[in-house]
């Protein structure tokens, strides 16, 4: 009797999951189909009519990516800005957080516990509260950087710094929990053999910490790529530095009735983070689970 109940419960949970998945993905499917429909059909009929009269075009994507008009989007150049902003904004907190997490996990020093609690508490500070002080510091040329008068890749340095600062508390907390769960016998055996902290870090801890590093990298990549607030406030407000999210916000605000452009632009922006997630999802799942159970 118990097996029958377990089977019925399993079937019920499976059916519920399928229903939730369908309800969750239906709007996304409608947005995807609309991005391939001609402009006149998008504005006059619902997306579900595509199944009865399938008229498909790639003009929407061509116009959004490479159109010559200001209202077309021209997202190709903004995609480059997003890549230039996102990659350093992932690497900087990843490297700094890894070093800090190792120090907090395996180096004994006075005040280590208090410092860890303080780092964890920094995650509570709302991002919006830090923007005004950062803008004031940057406008005064702080960090040995000219006040907004930067050229080349350095013009993105303010955004890199902001994303690095905002991500470091979470990076240290996540990586510390993983590194602290590594086998102590392994670390102690390496120390007995004369391994320095540099050797431990690069040859033992780094290979074992791969899943945790990938997990943070994926979370940070998606966060930075989809960010609008920091990019809008600190990228300088020009087309040369604005990422794709800023351009999409402007496109929605000035041409809100151009659905064929908005739908295509949304999927152009979403393609890169979705690709990154699916390419690394196996490591992402391992990184979330590793260290959750000890013993």
């Amino acid at each position: 009797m118990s097996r029958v109940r377990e089977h019925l419960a399993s079937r019920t949970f499976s059916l519920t999951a399928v229903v939730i998945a369908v309800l969750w993905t239906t709007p996304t499917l409608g947005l995807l189909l609309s991005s391939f429909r001609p402009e006149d059909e998008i504005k006059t009929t619902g997306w579900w009519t595509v199944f009865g009269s399938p008229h498909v075009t790639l003009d929407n994507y061509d116009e959004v990516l490479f159109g010559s008009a200001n209202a077309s989007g021209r997202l190709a150049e903004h995609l480059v800005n997003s890549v230039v902003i996102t990659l350093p904004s992932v690497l900087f907190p990843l490297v700094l957080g890894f070093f800090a997490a190792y120090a907090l996990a395996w180096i004994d020093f006075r005040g280590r516990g208090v410092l860890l609690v303080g780092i964890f508490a920094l995650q509570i500070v709302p991002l919006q509260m830090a923007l005004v002080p950062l803008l004031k510091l940057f406008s005064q040329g702080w960090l040995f950087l000219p006040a907004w008068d930067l050229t080349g890749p350095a013009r993105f340095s303010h955004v890199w710094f902001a994303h690095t600062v905002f991500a470091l508390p979470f990076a240290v907390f996540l990586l510390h929990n993983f590194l602290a769960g590594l086998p102590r016998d392994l670390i102690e055996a390496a120390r007995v053999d004369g391994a320095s902290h540099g050797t431990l870090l690069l040859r033992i801890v780094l290979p074992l910490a791969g899943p945790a590093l990938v997990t943070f990298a994926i979370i940070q990549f998606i966060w930075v790529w989809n960010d609008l607030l920091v990019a809008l406030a600190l990228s300088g407000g020009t087309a040369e530095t604005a990422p794709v999210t800023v351009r999409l916000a402007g496109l929605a605000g000035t041409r809100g009735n151009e659905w064929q452009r908005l739908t295509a632009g949304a999927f152009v922006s979403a393609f890169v983070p979705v690709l990154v997630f699916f390419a690394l999802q196996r490591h992402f799942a391992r990184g979330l689970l590793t260290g959750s159970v000890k013993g």
Side-chain angles (χ1 to χ4, degrees):
M1 189 67 179
S2 61
R3 292 184 177 180
V4 174
R5 291 179 179 177
E6 291 178 0
H7 180 70
L8 291 177
S10 177
R11 293 287 297 275
T12 301
F13 286 133
S14 299
L15 180 61
T16 303
V18 171
V19 172
I20 293 175
V22 171
L23 294 176
W24 186 270
T25 56
T26 296
T28 306
L29 175 62
L31 192 67
L32 176 63
L33 294 176
S34 297
S35 67
F36 290 101
R37 302 181 69 207
E39 177 182 356
D40 55 343
E41 293 188 7
I42 292 178
K43 295 181 178 180
T44 56
T45 59
W47 62 267
W48 52 88
T49 59
V50 71
F51 298 106
S53 55
H55 297 156
V56 178
T57 179
L58 294 176
D59 293 342
N60 300 335
Y61 286 92
D62 181 68
E63 185 179 6
V64 164
L65 286 171
F66 310 109
S68 57
N70 290 330
S72 62
R74 294 182 291 184
L75 293 185
E77 55 191 71
H78 295 281
L79 284 172
V80 176
N81 291 342
S82 290
V83 172
V84 174
I85 289 174
T86 304
L87 292 183
S89 298
V90 172
L91 292 177
F92 291 158
L94 186 67
V95 174
L96 295 176
F98 179 63
F99 285 124
Y102 174 82
L104 290 169
W106 293 105
I107 299 178
D108 294 327
F109 58 90
R110 182 177 300 178
R112 182 176 63 172
V114 176
L115 181 59
L116 182 60
V117 172
I119 292 174
F120 176 75
L122 288 175
Q123 299 182 72
I124 307 173
V125 179
L127 182 151
Q128 293 82 355
M129 292 182 60
L131 284 180
V132 173
L134 277 178
L135 283 170
K136 184 177 180 180
L137 291 173
F138 290 151
S139 64
Q140 296 174 353
W142 192 61
L143 294 176
F144 307 102
L145 298 176
W148 306 106
D149 297 328
L150 300 172
T151 59
R155 66 183 185 273
F156 298 101
S157 57
H158 298 102
V159 187
W160 296 340
F161 179 82
H163 281 303
T164 300
V165 170
F166 295 144
L168 270 176
F170 175 69
V172 174
F173 176 72
L174 176 67
L175 297 176
H176 171 269
N177 288 345
F178 179 86
L179 298 183
L182 294 177
R184 180 169 293 273
D185 294 340
L186 178 64
I187 304 298
E188 294 297 335
R191 287 177 176 174
V192 170
D193 291 337
S196 63
H197 285 297
T199 303
L200 283 171
L201 192 67
L202 297 178
R203 296 189 178 183
I204 297 178
V205 177
L206 181 59
L208 295 175
L213 295 173
V214 171
T215 299
F216 172 76
I218 292 176
I219 295 174
Q220 179 69 357
F221 186 96
I222 295 175
W223 171 265
V224 176
W225 185 275
N226 293 328
D227 168 72
L228 174 62
L229 180 60
V230 175
L232 190 63
L234 299 177
S235 65
T238 62
E240 290 76 16
T241 57
V244 65
T245 51
V246 173
R247 181 53 184 161
L248 278 177
L251 189 65
T254 59
R255 304 288 293 183
N257 61 332
E258 301 294 336
W259 295 108
Q260 77 283 358
R261 294 171 180 165
L262 293 176
T263 54
F267 274 92
V268 167
S269 175
F271 176 76
V272 175
V274 168
L275 182 64
V276 169
F277 175 78
F278 280 109
L280 301 174
Q281 62 174 336
R282 179 170 60 90
H283 303 282
F284 179 76
R286 288 176 56 196
L288 289 178
L289 296 176
T290 303
S292 60
V293 179
K294 296 183 179 180

